[in-house]
Amino acid sequence: MEILAHYGTVLISLAAVFGLLMAIGIGANDVANAMGTSVGSKALTVKQAILIAMVFEFAGAYLAGGQVTDTIRKGVIEPSLFAHHPEVLVYGMLAALLAAGAWLLIASYMGWPVSTTHSIIGAIIGFACVSVGSDAVNWSSFKGIVGSWIVTPIIAGFLAYLIFVSAQRLIFDTEKPLENAKRFVPVYMFITTMVIALVTIKKGLTHVGLHLTNVEAWIWATVISALVMIGGYLYIQKKFANREDDHGFAGVESIFSILMVVTACAMAFAHGSNDVANAIGPLAAVVSTVTQLGTVASKSAIAWWILPLGGIGIVIGLATMGHRVMATVGTGITELTPSRGFAAQLATASTVVLASGTGLPISTTQTLVGAVLGVGFARGIAALNLGVVRNIVASWIITLPAGALLSVVFFYAIRAVFS
């Protein structure tokens, strides 16, 4: 208790710095995964992808990032076991942030697409086991999270497969693909906008004091999506008005390039809303415990500056180091075109938004890879670069123990400094 009272400001400052480092690692690694399909399909340049991600990642983190924070903070470990030694929880969360952030920066520099969720969960489990014991870990919750690592790529892959096959049958395999693209792409715009509008209205607006019923949320989401669909239809009709006789795939892919901008925005927002918890969850735990002088609360409000800090860190990481992992994901797994990238991106966004709405922390990396694999399977196994896929999976396996090991080292170091 005396340590928290005496060094409270220092501990919160360290937590803010480490939390920012973790958020930068998320931006450099996971956000690059989210935007890699847009860049790999050449629908967006690297600079355009970064600008889009800056706006929508920050918006997702700030507006809709609160729900999953509770799962990371209280779902992995049992806070009540630290009630008599709250400073141990603070040291551990500091170590977890530093460990996960350091590992993500190393992986990003090497161009390895790893899971930020794996990193922080491994780090939290690492310090918990050496400080209190394995009883501190909520293994039932951990099993659910591990299960999501398997289930979510399958869901994303299945959705991507369905979306890609639908585009093939409705557009590409018809006699007039361009004409059908002009007809059906606005419908895809409607679906994409509906996904992002629902999570924004149901979660994001509650942070600014606007609470809508389910019926009102669906009505507003439908109206917004319809406006986007109408706007997209008019734009596409005008842009391709003089190409009625062009039934080549190039014209169709150029229409999907327009759609990729919409899905890129959806993916960035969905990712920001889900993965910012990896950075701000432990940070919120430190701030809450220190400001309440050692009271390990089961639930507490997130300080006003925490969500913006996470959003800013994500943007910095993406802008400075994101291009390295973006290159790996965008071109390494399979050859992407705008239509294929759209299918993978919409499937990933839908899966991440669904998980964020239920409070389940998932790996965006694994979700996206699952979606890209789904698109590849739709074209045949030969379309996949299985060597790259094996390397990516290997990096996932390494990440959790790496986070745990670094966390143990940093925990002992931090405890020694303040003790």
Side-chain angles (χ1 to χ4, degrees):
M1 300 297 183
E2 293 181 3
I3 291 177
L4 298 183
H6 188 70
Y7 295 107
T9 303
V10 176
L11 291 170
I12 290 178
S13 298
L14 280 177
V17 173
F18 294 166
L20 181 64
L21 179 70
M22 176 66 182
I24 291 173
I26 293 173
N29 203 286
D30 253 19
V31 177
N33 296 339
M35 303 302 293
T37 51
S38 301
V39 176
S41 65
K42 296 182 174 58
L44 293 171
T45 65
V46 174
K47 290 183 179 180
Q48 289 171 337
I50 288 175
L51 288 175
I52 288 175
M54 282 181 176
V55 174
F56 285 91
E57 285 280 348
F58 183 85
Y62 183 65
L63 294 176
Q67 179 67 36
V68 287
T69 303
D70 289 339
T71 305
I72 286 288
R73 205 186 120 198
K74 299 192 295 293
V76 180
I77 60 173
E78 182 53 56
S80 62
L81 295 178
F82 296 89
H84 298 296
H85 302 283
E87 70 279 2
V88 174
L89 178 64
V90 172
Y91 299 157
M93 288 299 184
L94 287 174
L97 283 172
L98 182 57
W103 171 248
L104 286 175
L105 291 178
I106 293 171
S108 299
Y109 180 79
M110 299 300 293
W112 299 335
V114 299
S115 170
T116 56
T117 310
H118 284 208
S119 301
I120 193 64
I121 290 177
I124 290 175
I125 290 175
F127 93 79
C129 287
V130 298
S131 62
V132 178
S134 60
D135 291 340
V137 180
N138 188 344
W139 294 110
S140 60
S141 174
F142 177 70
K143 289 177 182 178
I145 294 170
V146 171
S148 75
W149 298 342
I150 301 171
V151 173
T152 50
I154 294 176
I155 293 174
F158 180 67
L159 290 176
Y161 178 87
L162 293 179
I163 295 168
F164 181 72
V165 170
S166 71
Q168 287 288 318
R169 294 184 178 179
L170 295 174
I171 299 173
F172 288 95
D173 294 340
T174 62
E175 293 182 358
K176 297 181 178 180
L178 182 62
E179 183 178 323
N180 286 321
K182 291 160 67 175
R183 180 185 306 162
F184 289 110
V185 166
V187 178
Y188 287 126
M189 286 185 173
F190 178 89
I191 297 171
T192 303
T193 308
M194 180 69 79
V195 170
I196 200 64
L198 281 174
V199 73
T200 304
I201 293 171
K202 288 299 293 178
K203 293 184 59 190
L205 297 184
T206 59
H207 288 280
V208 295
L210 183 60
H211 300 271
L212 301 177
T213 64
N214 288 330
V215 175
E216 291 171 336
W218 276 96
I219 291 174
W220 276 105
T222 303
V223 170
I224 294 170
S225 301
L227 291 175
V228 171
M229 180 178 68
I230 293 171
Y233 176 82
L234 295 175
Y235 176 80
I236 291 172
Q237 291 294 329
K238 181 178 180 180
K239 183 176 177 65
F240 296 90
N242 299 322
R243 297 176 62 176
E244 294 295 336
D245 296 330
D246 180 8
H247 300 306
F249 291 157
V252 177
E253 291 293 356
S254 62
I255 294 180
F256 272 99
S257 294
I258 300 171
L259 184 54
M260 282 289 286
V261 176
V262 180
T263 54
C265 296
M267 188 62 249
F269 186 96
H271 178 269
S273 69
N274 190 77
D275 275 34
V276 70
N278 294 336
I280 70 169
L283 173 55
V286 172
V287 173
S288 172
T289 304
V290 172
T291 53
Q292 297 183 37
L293 296 178
T295 301
V296 181
S298 60
K299 189 172 184 178
S300 59
I302 299 175
W304 66 269
W305 52 270
I306 292 179
L307 280 170
L309 181 73
I312 291 170
I314 285 175
V315 168
I316 294 173
L318 173 67
T320 55
M321 299 178 65
H323 63 281
R324 294 178 179 271
V325 179
M326 205 178 294
T328 302
V329 175
T331 58
I333 299 174
T334 189
E335 182 183 355
L336 293 177
T337 62
S339 60
R340 298 167 194 164
F342 156 73
Q345 224 171 36
L346 177 57
T348 305
S350 301
T351 306
V352 172
V353 167
L354 178 65
S356 182
T358 57
L360 182 66
I362 65 170
S363 167
T364 307
T365 309
Q366 294 185 343
T367 305
L368 177 69
V369 170
V372 174
L373 287 173
V375 172
F377 278 127
R379 299 169 54 225
I381 192 68
L384 298 172
N385 188 333
L386 297 181
V388 172
V389 174
R390 282 194 297 267
N391 292 338
I392 291 175
V393 172
S395 71
W396 294 350
I397 296 173
I398 295 171
T399 293
L400 197 146
L405 181 62
L406 287 173
S407 178
V408 170
V409 173
F410 291 140
F411 172 75
Y412 284 126
I414 293 171
R415 189 176 67 175
V417 169
F418 285 95
S419 297

